[in-house]
Amino acid sequence: MTSSFSNLSLAEPLARAVAEMGYESMTPIQAQAIPVVLTGKDVMGAAQTGTGKTAAFSLPLLQRLLKHENASTSPARHPVRALVLLPTRELADQVAQQVKLYAKYTNLRSAVVFGGMDMKPQTLELKKGVEVLVATPGRLLDHIEAKNAVLNQVEYVVLDEADRMLDIGFLPDLQRILSYLPKERTTLLFSATFSPEIKRLANSYLKDPITIEVARPNETASTVEQRFYSVGDDDKRRALKQIVRQRGITQAFVFVNSKLGCARLARSLERDGLKTTALHGDKSQDERLK
Ligand code: AMP
C-alpha cells in the first residue's frame, strides 16, 4: 500500500481539492481506510481526532456519491445520501467545514445541523436538498420529526466519535435515527476505543466490518509532558494558580468536570488577574463559537 493520494485514482474534482489543501501524503488511517471505503464495505475504525480521520471517510464517500452528482435545482434531485453523526456541535461544525472543502469542485451539496441554533436557516438548507448531512443526534431527530430531513435514500452512515456519543447518552437517539435508514447501506463507525459497548453497537448495526486500527486505544501523544499533582479539593485552585505562575504559562486550557465548576473557576482566575473565558454547554452557541 502506498501513501500518495495520486495512487487512489480519485476523481479529478476531489484530487484537485486535496491538492489545494496541500496534503502531501496520506495519514495511516487514510492509507488504510480509503481503499476499503471505496469498496463499499462497512468499517470499524479506531482513530482519534487529529489523525486525518475526516478525510479518510469523506473522500471515498464523496467519490462514491459522484454518480448522483447533478446541477438540478430541484430538491428531489438532491436527497440525503450520506449521514455523518457526531457528538458535539463543534465537531459537527469542523467536519462539515472539511467536507465542504473536499466537495467544493463537485455538485454535491452538504449541510450541518446541530442544536443551540435557530432551526430555521437549517430547515431552509435541508429543504433545498443536500447529499451529505453532518449532524448531532438530538437536532437531527428534531428535523426528522419536523419532516425537514428525509432519510430513506441514505446509502452511507458515519458514526464518528462513537464512544463519545455513547458517553453522552446518545444511544437511544442513535437507535432511533438508524431505524429510519434503509437496511441496505454502508455503515462506518469510528471510535477512539473499542469498548464492549462500542462492540455491541457495531454488532447490531454493522455488517462484517473491516477493522482498522491506527493507534493503540488510549495511547498518549509523545509531544505532551504529563504531571500529576495530588492535592485536596480545597487546594486545587491555589495549586493551579501557582503552577500557572511558577511555570510562566501564558496560555492554558483547564478542563473541569461540571458547568458550574467551570464558571466558578473562571471567575476566580479572572479575579486573580488572569484573562479567562469559560466554555461550557450552558453558553449560547454564539458565545461558544466566539
Ligand atoms: P481530523 O483528524 O480529520 O480532524 O484531521 C486533522 C487535521 O489534519 C485537519 O486539519 C486536516 O485538514 C488535516 N489533514 C487531514 N489529512 C491530511 C493529510 N493527508 N496531510 C496533511 N494534513 C491532513
Side-chain angles (χ1 to χ4, degrees):
M1 203 181 293
T2 158
S3 62
S4 162
F5 281 100
S6 53
N7 294 51
L8 284 174
S9 41
L10 283 179
E12 193 279 330
L14 297 175
R16 185 153 35 120
V18 169
E20 225 169 73
M21 301 285 286
Y23 299 170
E24 277 166 13
S25 53
M26 288 192 270
T27 66
I29 185 82
Q30 291 165 356
Q32 290 188 54
I34 294 178
V36 178
V37 180
L38 282 173
T39 67
K41 291 204 174 82
D42 282 5
V43 168
M44 182 150 168
Q48 272 137 319
T49 297
T51 56
K53 173 171 53 118
T54 313
F57 64 76
S58 20
L59 287 170
L61 285 191
L62 291 168
Q63 169 103 352
R64 287 185 63 100
L65 292 181
L66 281 175
K67 63 171 187 274
H68 299 300
E69 191 188 28
N70 68 85
S72 164
T73 52
S74 158
R77 298 289 311 281
H78 300 276
V80 179
R81 310 268 186 190
L83 182 62
V84 183
L85 295 171
L86 290 124
T88 68
R89 306 163 192 182
E90 280 75 14
L91 281 168
D93 202 32
Q94 279 172 32
V95 165
Q97 282 180 30
Q98 279 204 55
V99 170
K100 274 234 152 61
L101 287 173
Y102 300 138
K104 74 190 247 203
Y105 296 116
T106 74
N107 277 317
L108 296 169
R109 303 174 179 175
S110 61
V112 60
V113 299
F114 47 76
M117 300 282 258
D118 189 357
M119 294 229 341
K120 265 194 228 114
Q122 299 176 356
T123 303
L124 284 177
E125 228 183 331
L126 291 175
K127 295 262 185 193
K128 274 192 246 158
V130 292
E131 277 87 6
V132 183
L133 179 56
V134 181
T136 52
R139 176 53 62 98
L140 177 61
L141 280 171
D142 294 341
H143 281 294
I144 293 172
E145 269 152 30
K147 304 236 178 334
N148 300 331
V150 180
L151 303 178
N152 60 7
Q153 296 198 59
V154 168
E155 298 168 15
Y156 303 93
V157 186
V158 182
L159 305 175
D160 197 6
E161 310 257 337
D163 45 350
R164 290 182 58 196
M165 290 204 276
L166 296 191
D167 287 346
I168 295 173
F170 276 140
L171 182 61
D173 285 359
L174 288 180
Q175 288 168 328
R176 267 187 65 203
I177 292 167
L178 290 164
S179 76
Y180 294 126
L181 306 180
K183 293 272 169 297
E184 275 305 310
R185 58 159 199 263
T186 298
T187 308
L188 313 175
L189 181 153
F190 291 93
S191 176
T193 59
F194 288 159
S195 64
E197 293 76 23
I198 289 293
K199 288 194 179 135
R200 256 203 305 281
L201 183 72
N203 283 339
S204 311
Y205 295 103
L206 275 66
K207 258 186 244 145
D208 307 322
I210 307 279
T211 301
I212 294 170
E213 230 167 319
V214 291
R216 294 303 312 150
N218 303 327
E219 190 175 282
T220 56
S222 57
T223 46
V224 176
E225 174 197 325
Q226 304 193 31
R227 293 185 178 214
F228 175 82
Y229 297 88
S230 175
V231 288
D233 266 355
D234 294 342
D235 295 327
K236 278 195 293 189
R237 266 188 208 172
R238 201 148 31 95
L240 172 66
K241 290 171 186 171
Q242 201 176 325
I243 292 161
V244 169
R245 293 233 156 79
Q246 276 176 356
R247 305 198 77 196
I249 293 170
T250 52
Q251 251 191 344
F253 277 118
V254 182
F255 293 94
V256 294
N257 71 350
S258 71
K259 297 170 191 172
L260 195 61
C262 176
R264 281 190 184 141
L265 179 61
R267 274 199 303 275
S268 164
L269 292 172
E270 188 78 30
R271 272 198 303 276
D272 273 38
L274 294 163
K275 205 162 177 297
T276 310
T277 302
L279 178 64
H280 54 70
D282 278 352
K283 295 263 172 182
S284 72
Q285 191 57 22
D286 279 349
E287 287 172 309
R288 289 168 61 142
L289 286 172
K290 198 156 60 187

